[in-house]
Amino acid sequence: MKPHVLVAYPLRPRFMDELEVRYTLHRLDRDGPGMLDTAGPLCTAMVVNGHVTVDRALLDRLPALRLAACSSAGFDLMDLAEMTRRGITLTNTSDALVDEVANMAVLLALAARRQLVRADAYVRSGAWGECGMFPLTPSTVGKRTGIVGLGNIGQAIARRCEALGHRIGYFGRSRKPVDYDFFPDLTALAGWADILIVATPGGPETEGLISAPVIEALGPEGTLVNVARGTVVDEDALVAALRDGRLGSAGLDVYLNEPRPDPAFAALPNAVLYPHHASGTEETRDRMAQLTLDNLAAFFAGLPLPTPVN
Ligand code: DGY
């Protein structure tokens, strides 16, 4: 008999087909919570995603659950402490998206400083011919990059910025065995850096970390890049600083209100905006889905899980 698996959030179609072959699927995503009355007690594993709230109310309806295989890296809406208390292991897919997100962080940093989007519009609109040379921009050469959160993604970003010839500093909970400058004080890192790249997890621990004083310290020549979560940045302070020129530029992949970010961002010519899509390539999303399947397969085979979180 095939094991029962709850689908709280679907995988890409090809991987859903694979799931169908291996498991008896119960589609919470499609059929709604009423199905939990019968399916909830049967499911020992669940396929989920960072967009799903996993709280006590849901967990109460899944008494047999032992594995939550999350197809994203982030799990901000999940009560991890409660899952751990109930003996439920969470797995995620950050290993599969590290390089893609790191590439996007660098792309946003370079695009924001060199005003790529504005310059593109300048060429397309004919303004180049009408008005002449595009204004000079801040440089990306010989700069200092500060990384907030030197986890796997932060380290991948640091390696890329090293290759650009940047000096690297970082802020995090603890000093790491790396050759970069450690700043125990985030405002001091922002004051030191030309480019500040945020790569921490989201959640209450990092909420508002990039505060008004941090943004102020980065300053009018500085660039802020956020590939973490919107909650990490004080968005009102960010918008005001970009508008008043107290911050030079920003490259953002994430926002407080997704998918409808503060409309004030759209009016800021010094911000390059991406729709929370840093990991959004065919190849990386396939790798993330495959890792989700691999975690499920290991769980049902009684093998060590490839990427446990707790
Ligand atoms: C993740 O996997 O958490 C990325 O932010 C995409 O949602």
Side-chain angles (χ1 to χ4, degrees), residues 28-98:
L28 176 62
D29 62 316
R30 202 182 52 196
D31 302 335
M35 54 80 76
L36 289 173
D37 294 342
T38 47
L42 301 175
C43 295
T44 51
M46 149 168 95
V47 173
V48 68
N49 178 282
H51 299 294
V52 178
T53 299
V54 179
D55 55 10
R56 283 166 195 242
L58 176 61
L59 295 173
D60 282 347
R61 305 195 67 189
L62 302 169
L65 193 72
R66 290 294 165 268
L67 175 74
C70 178
S71 62
S72 61
F75 46 87
D76 321 22
L77 301 179
M78 297 182 201
D79 187 341
L80 186 60
E82 185 59 23
M83 290 165 82
T84 305
R85 200 183 69 73
R86 295 180 188 221
I88 300 165
T89 303
L90 173 71
T91 60
N92 77 344
T93 60
S94 54
D95 285 10
L97 56 71
V98 167

